[in-house]
């Protein structure tokens, strides 16, 4: 292993109702909808990206909201909990905001860090943790001030069918360092400042079922296209079957399934989400790759209308 990822690039999950998905992540969590496009393999399904003001790597959660999809079950081979990081002193604000939208929260302590765990409208596991590191978001929505806004990912809890294999991949492929272990979890850190803390339960977790409310894959950062090609060689040489490099418009990607059953992606930081939209208008128009432009009217007719909107609190 000669390469080291700086942390999570993005996390991609399944949902059902696209407007409810926008309402939760933009309306309640206050993330910016930075890209509205389609699943390139299924153009009748949105691919929605939520993150900070620029959609920076380490802040992006993406969804395939498929209205007719089955409910999934969180389990082994998946991200069990997606961790978001907020500025110190913010958890009280977020606990009140979530409860005002009737979202049940649980206070959890892990490795002497306090976090607030909850689920999204589909049952996807989320948590908020306070940390100094990582730049504050400049995006403000509704009554969420920038000094309380979600910065991006704190990291993730990986549910593995074979924790030893997953931990081996984190250390010996991705270059993360194990920093602490207790009776329940091992914690790993990358050299980045966001999306950089990964916890793995030491006990294996029963296999999950893909569907709404579950994570499809977790993507790790490659700093540029040259390094990305090197990553592909490293993964292949380590013995995993890895896909060819795939152009995803806003980053290049490779995929492989690690030994604990999780689907890993390695994605490039460039070119980013402003390649086809001005930064100030990100996420306001349905963006299509050029090969779908001739059928834009048909694609738009098959998609549910969505909008970012401030929501009325329940309390």
């Amino acid at each position: 292993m000669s390469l080291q990822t700086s942390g999570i690039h993005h996390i991609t999950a399944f949902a059902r109702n696209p407007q409810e998905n926008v309402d939760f992540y933009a309306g309640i969590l206050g993330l910016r909808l930075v890209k509205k496009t389609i699943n390139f393999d299924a153009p009748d399904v949105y691919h929605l990206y939520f993150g900070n003001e620029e959609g920076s790597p380490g802040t992006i959660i993406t969804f395939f909201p498929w209205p007719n999809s089955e409910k999934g079950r969180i389990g082994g081979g998946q991200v069990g909990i997606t961790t978001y990081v907020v500025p110190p002193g913010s958890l009280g604000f977020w606990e009140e905001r979530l409860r005002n939208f009737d979202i049940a929260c649980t206070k959890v302590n892990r490795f002497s860090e306090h976090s607030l765990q909850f689920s999204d409208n589909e049952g996807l596991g989320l948590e908020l943790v306070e940390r100094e590191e990582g730049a504050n978001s400049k995006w403000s929505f509704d009554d969420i001030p920038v000094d309380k806004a979600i910065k991006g990912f704190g990291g993730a809890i990986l549910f593995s069918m074979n924790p030893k294999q997953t931990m081996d991949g984190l250390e010996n492929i991705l270059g993360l360092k194990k920093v602490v272990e207790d009776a329940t979890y091992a914690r790993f850190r990358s050299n980045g400042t966001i999306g950089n803390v990964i916890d793995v339960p030491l006990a294996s977790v029963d296999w999950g079922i893909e569907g709404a409310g579950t994570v499809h894959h977790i993507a790790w950062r490659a700093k540029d296209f040259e390094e990305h090609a090197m990553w592909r060689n490293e993964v292949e040489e380590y013995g995993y079957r890895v896909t060819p490099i795939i152009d995803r418009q806003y980053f290049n990607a490779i995929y492989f399934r690690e030994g604990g059953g999780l689907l890993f992606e390695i994605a490039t930081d460039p070119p980013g989400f402003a390649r086809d939209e001005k930064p100030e208008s990100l996420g306001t128009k349905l963006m299509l790759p050029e090969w779908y432009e001739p059928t834009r009217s048909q694609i738009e007719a098959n998609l549910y209308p969505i909008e970012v909107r401030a929501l009325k609190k329940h309390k």
Side-chain angles (χ1 to χ4, degrees):
M1 184 275 299
S2 61
L3 299 174
Q4 292 181 309
T5 182
S6 59
I8 298 171
H9 184 282
H10 67 267
I11 290 174
T12 293
F14 297 110
R16 282 181 286 206
N17 186 297
Q19 182 60 57
E20 291 179 3
N21 185 243
V22 172
D23 284 345
F24 192 90
Y25 286 89
I28 296 175
L29 295 189
L31 301 175
R32 186 180 188 186
L33 175 60
V34 295
K35 192 62 59 178
K36 180 167 58 173
T37 183
I38 55 170
N39 182 334
F40 295 165
D41 300 318
D44 57 336
V45 178
Y46 280 114
H47 194 177
L48 304 178
Y49 295 73
F50 303 90
N52 71 354
E53 68 279 357
E54 298 175 348
S56 304
T59 75
I60 290 291
I61 192 164
T62 96
F63 288 92
F64 298 119
W66 206 316
N68 297 319
S69 64
E70 296 290 327
K71 173 72 175 171
R73 184 183 72 214
I74 298 172
Q78 299 175 4
V79 173
I81 296 178
T82 297
T83 305
Y84 278 112
V85 65
V86 295
S90 300
L91 278 189
F93 168 87
W94 282 102
E95 182 177 10
E96 181 179 4
R97 181 172 177 84
L98 293 171
R99 293 192 192 282
N100 284 344
F101 285 106
D102 286 343
I103 298 169
C105 306
T106 303
K107 294 179 180 178
V108 176
N109 186 290
R110 194 169 65 255
F111 295 121
S112 300
E113 277 191 324
H114 299 290
S115 64
L116 201 61
Q117 290 188 353
F118 58 100
S119 298
D120 78 358
N121 58 302
E122 302 281 6
L124 193 76
L126 303 169
E127 68 177 359
L128 296 173
V129 63
E130 296 178 349
R131 291 186 190 133
E132 287 278 3
E133 61 188 344
N136 281 6
S137 174
K138 298 181 179 66
W139 185 253
S140 176
F141 182 78
D142 196 19
D143 59 356
I144 304 170
V146 290
D147 64 344
K148 299 288 194 299
I150 290 171
K151 298 180 182 185
F153 294 127
I157 301 178
L158 305 185
F159 284 3
S160 175
M161 298 287 291
N162 187 330
K164 288 184 178 180
Q165 285 287 310
T166 297
M167 291 188 284
D168 175 77
L170 292 175
E171 287 189 292
N172 296 314
I173 299 177
L174 297 176
L176 277 67
K177 304 295 184 185
K178 184 161 77 168
V179 292
V180 65
E181 182 176 318
D182 63 14
T184 306
Y185 293 96
R187 170 162 287 188
F188 298 80
R189 291 182 70 98
S190 74
N191 57 15
T193 60
I194 200 161
N196 58 334
V197 178
I198 305 298
D199 291 341
V200 181
L202 300 180
S204 62
V205 181
D206 289 342
W207 191 252
I209 298 174
E210 280 190 353
T214 67
V215 167
H216 180 256
H217 66 265
I218 182 171
W220 309 95
R221 294 175 65 177
K223 67 179 181 181
D224 54 33
F225 299 118
E226 181 181 6
E227 185 184 272
H228 194 240
M230 295 168 64
W231 274 112
R232 188 182 185 282
N233 291 337
E234 287 231 349
V235 173
E236 194 168 48
E237 288 174 5
Y238 204 76
Y240 284 112
R241 294 179 60 184
V242 59
T243 66
I245 294 173
I246 301 170
D247 182 355
R248 294 300 192 196
Q249 295 289 104
Y250 311 108
F251 47 85
N252 283 358
I254 57 172
Y255 303 84
F256 65 100
R257 196 169 293 278
E258 56 80 44
L262 286 102
L263 182 59
F264 279 2
E265 175 184 346
I266 299 177
T268 56
D269 282 1
F273 295 104
R275 68 169 300 179
D276 56 1
E277 290 182 282
K278 293 180 179 179
E280 62 270 19
S281 58
L282 287 174
T284 58
K285 178 185 175 184
L286 180 70
M287 304 307 297
L288 300 176
E290 60 182 13
W291 60 90
Y292 277 125
E293 279 296 345
T295 55
R296 172 178 283 274
S297 60
Q298 297 163 258
I299 289 171
E300 290 181 331
N302 286 328
L303 294 170
Y304 286 71
I306 57 174
E307 62 174 332
V308 174
R309 58 192 183 183
L311 304 177
K312 184 177 180 181
K313 298 178 178 63
H314 298 171
K315 297 179 182 178

